[in-house]
Structure formats: C-alpha cells, structure tokens
Amino acid sequence: MRGQARTTSIIIATIIIIIIVGGLAWYYSSRGGKTTPTTSPPLSSSTSSPATSPAAPATSTPTGKVKIVWASTQLVPPKEQAFVKQELLPSFKQETGIDVEFVGMSYSDLSLKLESEEKAGKVTISVIADLHGGLDLFASKGWLEDLSKFPPLSGRTFPKILEDYSHLHGIKAYVPWLTATYVMVVNKKAFDYLPPGLTKEDVIMGTEKWTYDALLAWAKNLYEKTGKKLLGFPAGPHGLFVRFLHGYLYPSFTGAQVKNFDSPDAVKMWNYLKELWKYVNPASTTWDAMADPLLRGEVWIAWDHTARIKDAITTKPEDFVVVPTPRGPKGRGFILVIVGLAIPKNAPHEDAAWKLIDYLTRPETEVKILKNVGFFPSVQEAAGAVPEGPLKVLAKGVNSLLNTKDALVAMIPSLGAKGGDFKEIYITAFQRIVLQGQDPASVTKELKPQLLKLFEEAGAPLPPPDSG
C-alpha cells in the first residue's frame, strides 16, 4: 500500500509540474506576441537585399503598403511633372500596389540632400534619376548601390555605349533610362536664303560644308534679305544656352569643354560668336525655350534641347526640319545626354525601387515618355517603336546628328552642388565678351582658374572630350 501511495504521489506531482510549466510557457508566449512589432511581408522573393534597411525611416503606410521616394533632376518643369504624376505613376501603382512620391529637384539640391542622408545614415530616397555626370559623382563617393545584384531586366536591349557608360567606379551604377541631345530646327522657308556653296542637303545631312562659318553667312543673308534677325537661342534666365557654349562651341572650336578655356582657339571662338550675335534675334536673352518663337515665326533657325523644341515639330510638322548642328575647326561638338536610374546606398525598400526601375525602362513606358515629353528611349525595342509622324521627324534629325562622321561627343560634367557655378562661369564669359564687348583673351584668362578650381574642389574628372 505504501508503495502504491508513493507511486500515486509521484504521478500527481508530475501532473502539477507539467501544468505549472505549461502555464508559464503559455504566459510568456502570449506576452511576447503582444510586444513584438509586426513586419510587412517582403515585396518579392528576391533574397539579394532586405525589404527595408535598419537605417531607413518608416515609409510604410498604416495599412502596410509601401511608399517610396523618387528624387529626380529630370522631368522637373511643371508640365513634365504633371505627366509623371498623373499619367506615368498611376499605372505602376495599379500594377504593384507601391505608392511613389516623385520629387523634382535641382542638381545641387539632390547632391546636398543625398550627401547629408548618406553621412547621417538615414536615407529616405529609394530611386534617383539624374544625368550621367551626377551619377558618376555619386558613384565616386560610394553613395550608390551596385545594381548588378538585382535580377536582369528582361525584354529590353540597352545599346553597348549606354551600358559601358553605366558602369562606374567598379560597379553597375545606374540603368540607362532616357537619352536626349540638342538640335537645330529650321523653318523650311529659310532654305530659300542659303548662302552660296551651301545646299539644303548639306544642312540636313550634316556634311562638311555645314559649318559655323556657313551658319554665320546664312544668318547674315537672312537679315540682309528679310530685314529680320531670324536666328535664335534660349538665352533667357531659365534657358539652356549655356549648354551651347560649353558643349557645342567650345568642343567644335577648341576640341575640349574646359581645358582649352583660354586658348587662342577659344579666343577665335568668342570673336566668332560676337560676329554671329549681330544676326541673332535680340529677344533671345528673354527666351527659355525655342518652340514658341519658332511657331510665332520670330525665328526661322533655332537651337535647343529636344524636349523643349518638340512642340514646334508636333504642332507644325510640315513647316520644320530637324538638322545636325554645324561643325567647327575641331569637329562637330555636341552633348549626348544620358539619364540614368540609380538606387542609393542604404535606400529603403530596395525591391520596390527595382520594380520601379523595371517599369520605367520597359519599351512601352519609354515610348510613352517620348510622346509626352520628348526624351528619347534608351532601349532598342522602344527606339524601333517610334511612330511615324512628328516624333519620327525629330528622331530622324537626332539620328543624323549622332551618325555624322565628325561627331565630337561632350558629356555634361559631374560637379554636384557646384554645377551651377560651372554654368555661371560660361554665362559670365558670354555676358562680358559678347554683350559687353570685353576682350575675350583677358576675360577667359581671368575666369579659367575659377573653372578649374570647381573640378578640384569637387574631386571630379574633366568631362569628355577633355578626358579622352
């Protein structure tokens, strides 16, 4: 009996212990479930990176949906921003459920914001859209992710030259998104006033006879025969005339944008521009874009960015023709604009950022952008899909420029926050030499040290063609 009682006591004690241990386990388990924060599910099955960075701020909405910030120095004008926000991004959100805040910024503001966020370890930007030069600078600072870790973007082919440019400082720094350049648009009426020795075909095809001296003779002839100054440039406060100075005239006359700034060839270039300006419509210093002056007939020959001159072509495609820019003694200098998409280091929601890059670089998306804002596609599948009509006229002109035998490609320099200072030096030289009549040799000699100092302080290399 005593043995049976002892066995019964052991069984009861074991049951009590099990109950106590089980109760404690239930208690701590329940308590832990109440205090552990919930996390959003991953956006994709990719294991290349976590959906969120420990340093990232809270960017998920109360409902758990992801919202990312897309900072861009491109598509910033109000009309272009409206297209992005009202037509481009809603389709992406509908497809993925990801909300995107598009933030248009100046070059200097983007550079300063990214620098401050990277140094603080609190990055809020998930996607960057910027020019090659800016992305080159960011990559040199170690602020960009190596995009080679993400899955391939299927269904699109990037031209080799764009792929080559996108690899910077040992990483795949960006995905080429858009391209653009600056062209000349000619009202067909101007061909009736060509100077001797220059034909319509020379201008359209960009032959060796289509030179800056020929442009001067043409503008002079137009003035003498019509009494009007029918050549125009966007030299207003927000115009892009400065790109004509450093990216077209300087390479064409000196073979470089920066290093030959005060050379004898540069002095010849400035003296040429002083002569040409006698036949430039004086309202040029008030124009920020050339589409409207062309449509109003105030100028018959104009130079501008393809995106800013597109409306003239689409409104009156039968009146205008897009032609290559003239050549100078050193070649046919022109700027090739490459806009890339990048992801900053420590960016929140990398997977969502890559989904946005995937969407933006699809051929159908790039064609939509071309139709609305005039930037050209970066993928071959989209370039072949440009429809017949005004945009084909523009594309044909750009293609003629890119394929001229004497093409001398210039890239916009990567100076970050000092980019504005770079432009200001060329504008100052223009104002003092051309508008105020000062000596070009003295002015360029005075300004060159300031120009070189910008590159030294930014730690940036000289841009092509200076850098070879």
Side-chain angles (χ1 to χ4, degrees), residues 142-229:
W143 297 342
L144 299 182
E145 282 289 349
D146 184 352
L147 302 184
S148 62
K149 69 182 184 181
F150 291 100
L153 297 169
S154 61
R156 68 212 78 178
T157 308
F158 297 95
K160 184 177 182 302
I161 186 172
L162 298 184
E163 272 295 327
D164 290 346
Y165 275 122
S166 69
H167 287 80
L168 299 164
H169 308 284
I171 65 170
K172 167 69 173 173
Y174 66 85
V175 176
W177 179 36
L178 303 171
T179 63
T181 187
Y182 305 74
V183 294
M184 278 196 156
V185 173
V186 177
N187 187 315
K188 294 177 182 177
K189 292 188 291 188
F191 288 125
D192 295 335
Y193 300 87
L194 286 167
L198 184 69
T199 67
K200 178 180 174 181
E201 288 70 30
D202 287 330
V203 177
I204 292 176
M205 299 304 296
T207 72
E208 62 181 11
K209 294 181 179 179
W210 178 220
T211 65
Y212 279 104
D213 285 337
L215 174 65
L216 171 59
W218 195 3
K220 182 180 179 182
N221 203 39
L222 280 166
Y223 177 66
E224 291 175 347
K225 298 290 176 56
T226 68
K228 299 177 181 177
K229 297 181 178 181

Coordinates of all heavy atoms in Angstrom, one line a residue, residues 142-229:
G142 N 30.8 56.6 -53.4 CA 30.3 55.4 -52.7 C 28.9 55.5 -52.2 O 28.5 54.8 -51.3
W143 N 28.1 56.4 -52.9 CA 26.7 56.6 -52.4 C 25.7 55.8 -53.2 O 24.5 55.8 -52.9 CB 26.3 58.1 -52.5 CG 27.1 59.0 -51.7 CD1 27.9 58.7 -50.6 CD2 27.3 60.4 -51.9 NE1 28.5 59.8 -50.1 CE2 28.1 60.9 -50.8 CE3 26.8 61.3 -52.8 CZ2 28.5 62.2 -50.7 CZ3 27.1 62.7 -52.6 CH2 28.0 63.1 -51.6
L144 N 26.1 55.0 -54.2 CA 25.2 54.2 -55.0 C 25.4 52.7 -54.8 O 26.5 52.2 -54.6 CB 25.3 54.6 -56.5 CG 25.1 56.0 -56.9 CD1 25.2 56.2 -58.4 CD2 23.7 56.5 -56.4
E145 N 24.2 52.0 -54.8 CA 24.3 50.5 -54.8 C 24.8 50.0 -56.1 O 24.6 50.6 -57.2 CB 22.9 50.0 -54.6 CG 22.4 50.1 -53.1 CD 23.1 49.1 -52.2 OE1 23.8 48.2 -52.7 OE2 22.9 49.2 -51.0
D146 N 25.4 48.8 -56.0 CA 25.8 48.1 -57.2 C 24.6 47.3 -57.7 O 24.1 46.4 -57.1 CB 26.9 47.1 -56.9 CG 27.5 46.4 -58.1 OD1 26.9 46.6 -59.2 OD2 28.5 45.7 -58.0
L147 N 24.1 47.8 -58.8 CA 22.8 47.2 -59.4 C 23.0 45.8 -60.0 O 22.0 45.2 -60.4 CB 22.2 48.2 -60.4 CG 21.9 49.6 -59.8 CD1 21.2 50.4 -60.9 CD2 21.0 49.5 -58.6
S148 N 24.2 45.4 -60.1 CA 24.4 44.1 -60.7 C 23.8 42.9 -59.8 O 23.7 41.8 -60.3 CB 25.9 43.8 -61.0 OG 26.6 43.8 -59.7
K149 N 23.5 43.2 -58.6 CA 23.0 42.2 -57.7 C 21.5 41.9 -57.9 O 20.9 41.0 -57.4 CB 23.2 42.6 -56.2 CG 22.3 43.8 -55.8 CD 22.6 44.2 -54.3 CE 21.8 45.3 -53.8 NZ 22.1 45.6 -52.4
F150 N 20.8 42.8 -58.7 CA 19.4 42.6 -58.9 C 19.2 41.7 -60.2 O 20.0 41.6 -61.0 CB 18.7 44.0 -59.2 CG 18.7 44.8 -57.9 CD1 19.6 45.9 -57.7 CD2 17.7 44.6 -56.9 CE1 19.6 46.6 -56.6 CE2 17.7 45.4 -55.8 CZ 18.6 46.4 -55.6
P151 N 17.9 41.2 -60.3 CA 17.6 40.3 -61.4 C 17.7 41.1 -62.7 O 17.5 42.3 -62.8 CB 16.2 39.9 -61.1 CG 16.0 40.1 -59.7 CD 16.8 41.3 -59.3
P152 N 18.0 40.4 -63.8 CA 18.1 41.1 -65.1 C 16.8 41.7 -65.5 O 15.7 41.2 -65.1 CB 18.5 39.9 -66.1 CG 19.0 38.8 -65.2 CD 18.4 38.9 -63.9
L153 N 16.8 42.7 -66.3 CA 15.6 43.4 -66.8 C 15.3 42.8 -68.2 O 16.0 43.0 -69.1 CB 15.8 44.9 -66.9 CG 16.1 45.6 -65.6 CD1 16.5 47.0 -65.8 CD2 14.8 45.6 -64.7
S154 N 14.3 41.9 -68.2 CA 14.0 41.2 -69.5 C 13.2 42.0 -70.5 O 12.6 43.0 -70.1 CB 13.2 39.9 -69.1 OG 12.0 40.2 -68.5
G155 N 13.3 41.6 -71.7 CA 12.5 42.2 -72.8 C 13.0 43.5 -73.3 O 12.3 44.3 -73.9
R156 N 14.2 43.9 -73.0 CA 14.8 45.1 -73.5 C 16.3 45.0 -73.7 O 17.0 44.2 -73.0 CB 14.5 46.3 -72.5 CG 15.2 46.1 -71.2 CD 14.4 46.7 -70.0 NE 13.4 45.8 -69.6 CZ 12.5 46.0 -68.6 NH1 12.6 47.1 -67.9 NH2 11.6 45.1 -68.3
T157 N 16.8 45.7 -74.7 CA 18.2 45.7 -75.0 C 18.8 47.1 -74.9 O 18.4 48.0 -75.7 CB 18.4 45.2 -76.4 OG1 17.7 43.9 -76.6 CG2 19.9 45.0 -76.8
F158 N 19.8 47.3 -74.1 CA 20.4 48.6 -74.0 C 21.6 48.6 -74.9 O 22.4 47.7 -74.9 CB 20.9 48.8 -72.5 CG 19.8 48.9 -71.5 CD1 19.4 47.7 -70.8 CD2 19.1 50.0 -71.3 CE1 18.4 47.8 -69.9 CE2 18.1 50.1 -70.4 CZ 17.7 49.0 -69.7
P159 N 21.8 49.7 -75.7 CA 22.9 49.8 -76.6 C 24.2 49.7 -75.8 O 24.3 50.2 -74.6 CB 22.8 51.2 -77.2 CG 21.3 51.5 -77.1 CD 20.9 50.8 -75.8
K160 N 25.3 49.2 -76.4 CA 26.5 48.9 -75.7 C 27.1 50.2 -75.1 O 27.6 50.2 -74.0 CB 27.5 48.3 -76.7 CG 28.8 47.9 -76.0 CD 29.7 47.2 -76.9 CE 31.0 46.7 -76.2 NZ 31.8 47.9 -75.7
I161 N 27.0 51.3 -75.9 CA 27.6 52.5 -75.4 C 27.0 53.0 -74.2 O 27.7 53.5 -73.2 CB 27.6 53.6 -76.5 CG1 28.4 54.9 -76.1 CG2 26.1 54.0 -76.9 CD1 28.5 55.9 -77.2
L162 N 25.7 52.8 -74.0 CA 25.0 53.2 -72.8 C 25.3 52.3 -71.7 O 25.5 52.7 -70.5 CB 23.5 53.2 -73.0 CG 23.0 54.2 -74.1 CD1 21.4 54.2 -74.1 CD2 23.4 55.6 -73.8
E163 N 25.4 51.0 -71.9 CA 25.8 50.0 -70.9 C 27.2 50.3 -70.4 O 27.5 50.3 -69.2 CB 25.8 48.6 -71.5 CG 24.4 47.9 -71.3 CD 24.1 47.7 -69.9 OE1 24.9 47.4 -69.0 OE2 22.9 47.8 -69.6
D164 N 28.1 50.6 -71.3 CA 29.5 51.0 -70.9 C 29.6 52.2 -70.0 O 30.3 52.2 -69.0 CB 30.4 51.2 -72.2 CG 30.6 49.9 -73.0 OD1 30.3 48.8 -72.4 OD2 31.1 50.0 -74.1
Y165 N 28.8 53.2 -70.4 CA 28.8 54.4 -69.5 C 28.2 54.2 -68.1 O 28.6 54.9 -67.2 CB 28.0 55.5 -70.2 CG 28.8 56.4 -71.2 CD1 28.5 56.5 -72.5 CD2 30.0 57.0 -70.8 CE1 29.2 57.2 -73.5 CE2 30.7 57.8 -71.7 CZ 30.3 57.9 -73.0 OH 31.1 58.6 -73.9
S166 N 27.3 53.2 -68.0 CA 26.6 53.0 -66.8 C 27.5 52.2 -65.7 O 27.1 52.1 -64.6 CB 25.3 52.2 -67.0 OG 25.5 50.9 -67.4
H167 N 28.6 51.7 -66.1 CA 29.5 51.0 -65.2 C 30.5 52.0 -64.7 O 31.4 52.5 -65.5 CB 30.2 49.8 -65.8 CG 29.2 48.7 -66.0 ND1 28.3 48.6 -67.0 CD2 29.0 47.5 -65.2 CE1 27.6 47.4 -66.9 NE2 28.0 46.8 -65.8
L168 N 30.5 52.4 -63.5 CA 31.3 53.5 -63.0 C 32.0 53.0 -61.6 O 31.3 52.5 -60.8 CB 30.5 54.7 -62.7 CG 29.8 55.4 -63.9 CD1 28.7 56.3 -63.4 CD2 30.8 56.1 -64.8
H169 N 33.3 53.3 -61.5 CA 34.0 53.1 -60.3 C 33.8 51.7 -59.7 O 33.6 51.4 -58.5 CB 33.5 54.1 -59.2 CG 33.6 55.5 -59.8 ND1 34.8 56.2 -59.9 CD2 32.7 56.4 -60.2 CE1 34.6 57.4 -60.4 NE2 33.3 57.5 -60.6
G170 N 33.8 50.7 -60.7 CA 33.8 49.3 -60.3 C 32.4 48.7 -60.0 O 32.3 47.6 -59.6
I171 N 31.4 49.5 -60.2 CA 30.0 48.9 -60.0 C 29.1 49.2 -61.2 O 29.4 50.1 -62.0 CB 29.4 49.5 -58.7 CG1 29.1 51.0 -58.9 CG2 30.2 49.2 -57.5 CD1 28.3 51.6 -57.8
K172 N 28.0 48.5 -61.3 CA 26.9 48.9 -62.2 C 26.1 50.0 -61.5 O 25.3 49.7 -60.6 CB 26.0 47.7 -62.4 CG 24.7 47.9 -63.1 CD 24.9 48.4 -64.6 CE 23.5 48.5 -65.3 NZ 23.6 49.0 -66.6
A173 N 26.4 51.2 -61.8 CA 25.9 52.4 -61.0 C 24.5 52.8 -61.4 O 23.8 53.3 -60.5 CB 26.9 53.6 -61.2
Y174 N 24.1 52.6 -62.6 CA 22.7 53.0 -62.9 C 22.2 52.2 -64.1 O 23.0 51.6 -64.9 CB 22.7 54.5 -63.2 CG 23.4 55.0 -64.4 CD1 22.9 55.0 -65.7 CD2 24.7 55.5 -64.3 CE1 23.5 55.4 -66.8 CE2 25.4 56.0 -65.4 CZ 24.8 56.0 -66.7 OH 25.5 56.4 -67.8
V175 N 20.9 52.3 -64.3 CA 20.3 51.7 -65.5 C 20.0 52.9 -66.5 O 19.3 53.8 -66.1 CB 19.0 51.0 -65.2 CG1 18.3 50.5 -66.4 CG2 19.3 49.8 -64.2
P176 N 20.5 52.8 -67.7 CA 20.2 53.9 -68.7 C 18.7 54.0 -68.9 O 18.0 53.0 -69.1 CB 20.9 53.5 -69.9 CG 22.0 52.5 -69.5 CD 21.4 51.8 -68.3
W177 N 18.1 55.2 -68.8 CA 16.7 55.3 -68.9 C 16.3 56.1 -70.1 O 15.5 55.7 -70.9 CB 16.2 56.0 -67.6 CG 14.7 56.3 -67.5 CD1 13.7 55.5 -68.0 CD2 14.0 57.4 -66.9 NE1 12.5 56.0 -67.7 CE2 12.7 57.2 -67.1 CE3 14.5 58.5 -66.2 CZ2 11.7 58.1 -66.6 CZ3 13.5 59.4 -65.8 CH2 12.2 59.2 -65.9
L178 N 16.8 57.3 -70.2 CA 16.4 58.2 -71.3 C 17.6 58.8 -71.9 O 18.7 58.9 -71.3 CB 15.5 59.3 -70.8 CG 14.2 58.9 -70.1 CD1 13.5 60.1 -69.4 CD2 13.3 58.1 -71.0
T179 N 17.5 59.2 -73.2 CA 18.6 60.0 -73.8 C 18.0 61.2 -74.4 O 16.8 61.3 -74.7 CB 19.3 59.1 -74.9 OG1 18.3 58.9 -75.9 CG2 19.8 57.9 -74.4
A180 N 18.9 62.2 -74.7 CA 18.4 63.4 -75.3 C 19.7 64.1 -75.8 O 20.8 63.8 -75.5 CB 17.7 64.3 -74.3
T181 N 19.4 65.1 -76.6 CA 20.5 66.0 -77.1 C 19.9 67.3 -77.5 O 18.7 67.6 -77.2 CB 21.3 65.3 -78.3 OG1 22.4 66.1 -78.6 CG2 20.4 65.2 -79.5
Y182 N 20.7 68.1 -78.1 CA 20.2 69.4 -78.5 C 20.4 69.5 -80.0 O 21.4 69.0 -80.6 CB 21.0 70.5 -77.8 CG 21.1 70.5 -76.3 CD1 21.8 69.5 -75.7 CD2 20.4 71.4 -75.6 CE1 21.9 69.4 -74.3 CE2 20.4 71.3 -74.2 CZ 21.2 70.3 -73.5 OH 21.2 70.3 -72.2
V183 N 19.4 70.1 -80.7 CA 19.5 70.1 -82.1 C 19.1 71.4 -82.7 O 18.7 72.3 -81.9 CB 18.5 69.0 -82.7 CG1 18.9 67.6 -82.4 CG2 17.0 69.3 -82.2
M184 N 19.3 71.6 -84.0 CA 18.8 72.8 -84.6 C 17.5 72.5 -85.4 O 17.4 71.4 -86.0 CB 19.9 73.3 -85.6 CG 20.9 74.2 -84.9 SD 21.9 75.2 -86.0 CE 22.4 76.4 -84.8
V185 N 16.6 73.4 -85.3 CA 15.3 73.2 -86.1 C 15.3 74.4 -87.0 O 15.5 75.6 -86.7 CB 14.1 73.3 -85.1 CG1 12.8 73.3 -85.9 CG2 14.1 72.0 -84.2
V186 N 15.0 74.0 -88.3 CA 14.9 75.0 -89.4 C 13.6 75.1 -90.0 O 13.0 74.1 -90.3 CB 16.0 74.7 -90.5 CG1 15.9 75.7 -91.6 CG2 17.4 74.6 -89.9
N187 N 13.0 76.3 -90.0 CA 11.8 76.6 -90.8 C 12.2 76.4 -92.3 O 13.1 77.0 -92.7 CB 11.3 78.0 -90.5 CG 9.9 78.2 -91.2 OD1 9.7 77.9 -92.3 ND2 9.0 78.8 -90.4
K188 N 11.4 75.6 -93.0 CA 11.8 75.3 -94.4 C 11.9 76.6 -95.3 O 12.6 76.6 -96.3 CB 10.8 74.3 -95.0 CG 10.9 72.9 -94.3 CD 9.8 72.0 -94.9 CE 9.9 70.7 -94.2 NZ 8.8 69.7 -94.6
K189 N 11.3 77.7 -94.9 CA 11.4 78.9 -95.6 C 12.8 79.4 -95.6 O 13.2 80.1 -96.6 CB 10.4 80.0 -95.0 CG 8.9 79.7 -95.2 CD 8.1 80.8 -94.7 CE 8.1 81.0 -93.3 NZ 7.1 82.0 -92.8
A190 N 13.6 79.1 -94.6 CA 14.9 79.6 -94.5 C 15.8 79.0 -95.6 O 16.8 79.6 -96.0 CB 15.5 79.3 -93.1
F191 N 15.5 77.9 -96.1 CA 16.3 77.3 -97.2 C 16.3 78.1 -98.5 O 17.2 77.9 -99.3 CB 15.8 75.8 -97.5 CG 16.1 74.8 -96.4 CD1 15.1 74.1 -95.8 CD2 17.4 74.7 -95.9 CE1 15.4 73.2 -94.8 CE2 17.7 73.8 -94.9 CZ 16.7 73.0 -94.3
D192 N 15.4 79.0 -98.6 CA 15.4 79.9 -99.8 C 16.4 81.0 -99.6 O 16.6 81.8 -100.6 CB 14.0 80.6 -99.9 CG 12.9 79.6 -100.2 OD1 13.2 78.5 -100.8 OD2 11.7 79.9 -99.9
Y193 N 17.1 81.1 -98.5 CA 18.1 82.1 -98.3 C 19.5 81.6 -97.9 O 20.3 82.2 -97.3 CB 17.6 83.0 -97.1 CG 16.3 83.7 -97.4 CD1 15.1 83.0 -97.1 CD2 16.2 85.0 -98.0 CE1 13.8 83.6 -97.4 CE2 15.0 85.6 -98.2 CZ 13.8 84.9 -97.9 OH 12.6 85.5 -98.2
L194 N 19.7 80.4 -98.4 CA 21.0 79.7 -98.1 C 22.2 80.5 -98.8 O 22.0 81.1 -99.9 CB 21.1 78.3 -98.7 CG 20.3 77.3 -97.8 CD1 20.1 76.0 -98.6 CD2 21.0 77.0 -96.5
P195 N 23.3 80.6 -98.1 CA 24.4 81.4 -98.7 C 25.0 80.5 -99.9 O 24.8 79.3 -100.0 CB 25.4 81.5 -97.6 CG 25.1 80.3 -96.7 CD 23.6 80.1 -96.8
P196 N 25.8 81.2 -100.8 CA 26.4 80.4 -101.9 C 27.3 79.3 -101.4 O 28.0 79.4 -100.4 CB 27.2 81.5 -102.6 CG 26.6 82.8 -102.2 CD 26.1 82.6 -100.8
G197 N 27.2 78.1 -102.0 CA 28.0 77.0 -101.7 C 27.4 76.1 -100.7 O 28.0 75.0 -100.4
L198 N 26.3 76.4 -100.1 CA 25.7 75.6 -99.1 C 24.3 75.1 -99.6 O 23.5 76.0 -100.0 CB 25.5 76.3 -97.7 CG 24.9 75.5 -96.6 CD1 25.9 74.5 -96.1 CD2 24.6 76.4 -95.4
T199 N 24.1 73.8 -99.6 CA 22.8 73.3 -100.1 C 21.9 72.8 -98.9 O 22.4 72.6 -97.8 CB 23.0 72.1 -101.0 OG1 23.5 71.0 -100.3 CG2 24.0 72.5 -102.2
K200 N 20.7 72.7 -99.2 CA 19.7 72.1 -98.3 C 20.2 70.7 -97.8 O 20.1 70.4 -96.6 CB 18.3 72.0 -98.9 CG 17.3 71.4 -98.1 CD 15.9 71.4 -98.8 CE 14.8 70.7 -98.1 NZ 13.6 70.7 -98.9
E201 N 20.7 69.9 -98.7 CA 21.1 68.6 -98.3 C 22.3 68.6 -97.4 O 22.5 67.8 -96.5 CB 21.5 67.8 -99.6 CG 20.3 67.4 -100.4 CD 19.6 68.6 -101.1 OE1 20.3 69.6 -101.4 OE2 18.3 68.5 -101.3
D202 N 23.2 69.6 -97.6 CA 24.4 69.8 -96.7 C 23.9 70.0 -95.3 O 24.5 69.4 -94.3 CB 25.2 71.0 -97.1 CG 26.0 70.8 -98.4 OD1 26.4 69.6 -98.7 OD2 26.2 71.8 -99.2
V203 N 22.9 70.8 -95.1 CA 22.4 71.1 -93.8 C 21.7 69.9 -93.2 O 22.0 69.5 -92.0 CB 21.5 72.3 -93.8 CG1 20.9 72.6 -92.4 CG2 22.2 73.6 -94.3
I204 N 20.9 69.3 -93.9 CA 20.1 68.2 -93.4 C 20.9 66.9 -93.1 O 20.8 66.3 -92.1 CB 18.9 67.8 -94.4 CG1 17.9 68.9 -94.4 CG2 18.3 66.5 -93.9 CD1 16.8 68.7 -95.4
M205 N 21.9 66.7 -93.9 CA 22.8 65.5 -93.8 C 24.0 65.8 -92.9 O 24.7 64.9 -92.5 CB 23.2 65.0 -95.1 CG 22.1 64.6 -96.0 SD 21.1 63.3 -95.3 CE 22.2 62.0 -95.1
G206 N 24.2 67.1 -92.6 CA 25.4 67.4 -91.8 C 26.7 67.1 -92.5 O 27.6 66.5 -91.9
T207 N 26.9 67.6 -93.7 CA 28.1 67.4 -94.4 C 29.2 68.3 -93.9 O 28.9 69.2 -93.1 CB 27.9 67.6 -95.9 OG1 27.7 69.0 -96.2 CG2 26.7 66.8 -96.5
E208 N 30.4 68.2 -94.5 CA 31.5 69.0 -94.0 C 31.3 70.5 -94.4 O 32.0 71.4 -93.9 CB 32.8 68.5 -94.6 CG 32.9 68.5 -96.1 CD 34.2 68.0 -96.6 OE1 34.9 67.4 -95.8 OE2 34.4 68.1 -97.9
K209 N 30.4 70.8 -95.3 CA 30.1 72.2 -95.7 C 29.2 72.9 -94.7 O 29.1 74.1 -94.7 CB 29.4 72.2 -97.1 CG 30.4 71.8 -98.2 CD 29.6 71.9 -99.5 CE 30.5 71.5 -100.7 NZ 29.8 71.6 -102.0
W210 N 28.5 72.1 -93.8 CA 27.6 72.7 -92.8 C 28.5 73.0 -91.6 O 28.6 72.2 -90.7 CB 26.5 71.7 -92.5 CG 25.5 72.1 -91.4 CD1 25.0 71.3 -90.4 CD2 24.9 73.4 -91.2 NE1 24.1 72.0 -89.6 CE2 24.1 73.3 -90.1 CE3 25.1 74.7 -91.8 CZ2 23.3 74.4 -89.6 CZ3 24.3 75.7 -91.4 CH2 23.5 75.6 -90.3
T211 N 29.0 74.2 -91.6 CA 30.0 74.7 -90.6 C 29.4 75.9 -89.9 O 28.4 76.5 -90.3 CB 31.3 75.1 -91.3 OG1 31.1 76.3 -92.1 CG2 31.9 74.0 -92.1
Y212 N 30.1 76.3 -88.8 CA 29.7 77.5 -88.1 C 29.9 78.8 -89.0 O 29.1 79.7 -88.9 CB 30.4 77.6 -86.8 CG 29.8 76.8 -85.7 CD1 30.3 75.6 -85.3 CD2 28.5 77.1 -85.1 CE1 29.7 74.8 -84.4 CE2 27.9 76.3 -84.2 CZ 28.5 75.2 -83.8 OH 27.9 74.4 -82.8
D213 N 30.9 78.8 -89.8 CA 31.0 79.9 -90.8 C 29.8 80.0 -91.7 O 29.3 81.0 -92.1 CB 32.3 79.8 -91.6 CG 33.5 80.1 -90.7 OD1 33.4 80.9 -89.7 OD2 34.6 79.7 -91.0
A214 N 29.3 78.8 -92.2 CA 28.2 78.7 -93.0 C 26.9 79.2 -92.3 O 26.1 79.9 -92.9 CB 28.0 77.3 -93.5
L215 N 26.8 78.9 -91.0 CA 25.7 79.4 -90.2 C 25.7 80.9 -90.1 O 24.7 81.6 -90.3 CB 25.7 78.8 -88.8 CG 24.7 79.3 -87.8 CD1 23.3 79.0 -88.3 CD2 24.9 78.8 -86.4
L216 N 26.9 81.5 -89.9 CA 27.0 82.9 -89.9 C 26.6 83.5 -91.2 O 25.8 84.5 -91.2 CB 28.5 83.3 -89.5 CG 28.8 84.8 -89.6 CD1 28.0 85.6 -88.7 CD2 30.3 85.0 -89.3
A217 N 27.1 83.0 -92.3 CA 26.7 83.5 -93.6 C 25.2 83.4 -93.9 O 24.6 84.3 -94.5 CB 27.5 82.8 -94.7
W218 N 24.6 82.3 -93.4 CA 23.2 82.1 -93.6 C 22.4 83.1 -92.8 O 21.4 83.7 -93.3 CB 22.8 80.7 -93.2 CG 21.5 80.2 -93.6 CD1 20.6 80.8 -94.4 CD2 20.9 78.9 -93.3 NE1 19.5 80.0 -94.6 CE2 19.7 78.8 -93.9 CE3 21.4 77.8 -92.5 CZ2 18.8 77.7 -93.8 CZ3 20.6 76.7 -92.4 CH2 19.3 76.7 -93.0
A219 N 22.7 83.3 -91.5 CA 22.0 84.2 -90.7 C 22.2 85.7 -91.2 O 21.2 86.5 -91.2 CB 22.6 84.2 -89.3
K220 N 23.4 86.0 -91.7 CA 23.6 87.3 -92.3 C 22.7 87.5 -93.5 O 22.1 88.6 -93.7 CB 25.1 87.5 -92.6 CG 25.4 88.8 -93.1 CD 26.9 88.9 -93.5 CE 27.3 90.3 -94.0 NZ 28.8 90.3 -94.4
N221 N 22.7 86.5 -94.4 CA 21.9 86.6 -95.6 C 20.4 86.7 -95.3 O 19.7 87.5 -96.0 CB 22.1 85.3 -96.4 CG 21.8 85.5 -97.9 OD1 22.2 86.6 -98.4 ND2 21.2 84.6 -98.6
L222 N 19.9 86.0 -94.3 CA 18.5 86.2 -93.9 C 18.2 87.6 -93.4 O 17.2 88.2 -93.8 CB 18.2 85.2 -92.7 CG 18.0 83.7 -93.1 CD1 18.0 82.8 -91.9 CD2 16.6 83.6 -93.8
Y223 N 19.2 88.2 -92.7 CA 18.9 89.5 -92.2 C 19.0 90.5 -93.3 O 18.1 91.4 -93.4 CB 20.0 89.9 -91.2 CG 19.9 91.3 -90.7 CD1 18.9 91.7 -89.9 CD2 20.9 92.2 -91.0 CE1 18.8 93.0 -89.4 CE2 20.9 93.5 -90.5 CZ 19.8 93.9 -89.8 OH 19.7 95.2 -89.3
E224 N 19.9 90.4 -94.2 CA 20.0 91.3 -95.3 C 18.9 91.2 -96.3 O 18.4 92.2 -96.9 CB 21.4 91.1 -96.1 CG 22.6 91.5 -95.2 CD 23.9 91.1 -95.9 OE1 23.9 90.4 -96.9 OE2 24.9 91.6 -95.4
K225 N 18.3 90.0 -96.5 CA 17.2 89.8 -97.5 C 15.8 90.1 -96.9 O 14.9 90.4 -97.6 CB 17.3 88.4 -98.0 CG 18.6 88.1 -98.8 CD 18.7 88.8 -100.1 CE 20.0 88.6 -100.8 NZ 20.3 87.2 -101.1
T226 N 15.7 89.8 -95.6 CA 14.3 90.0 -94.9 C 14.3 91.2 -94.0 O 13.2 91.6 -93.6 CB 14.0 88.7 -94.2 OG1 14.8 88.6 -93.0 CG2 14.1 87.5 -95.0
G227 N 15.4 91.7 -93.6 CA 15.4 92.8 -92.6 C 15.2 92.3 -91.2 O 15.0 93.1 -90.2
K228 N 15.2 90.9 -91.0 CA 14.9 90.4 -89.7 C 16.0 89.5 -89.2 O 16.6 88.8 -90.0 CB 13.6 89.5 -89.7 CG 12.3 90.3 -90.1 CD 11.1 89.4 -90.2 CE 9.9 90.2 -90.6 NZ 8.7 89.3 -90.8
K229 N 16.2 89.5 -87.9 CA 17.2 88.6 -87.3 C 16.5 87.3 -86.9 O 15.8 87.2 -85.9 CB 17.9 89.2 -86.1 CG 18.6 90.5 -86.4 CD 19.3 91.2 -85.2 CE 20.1 92.4 -85.7 NZ 20.8 93.1 -84.5

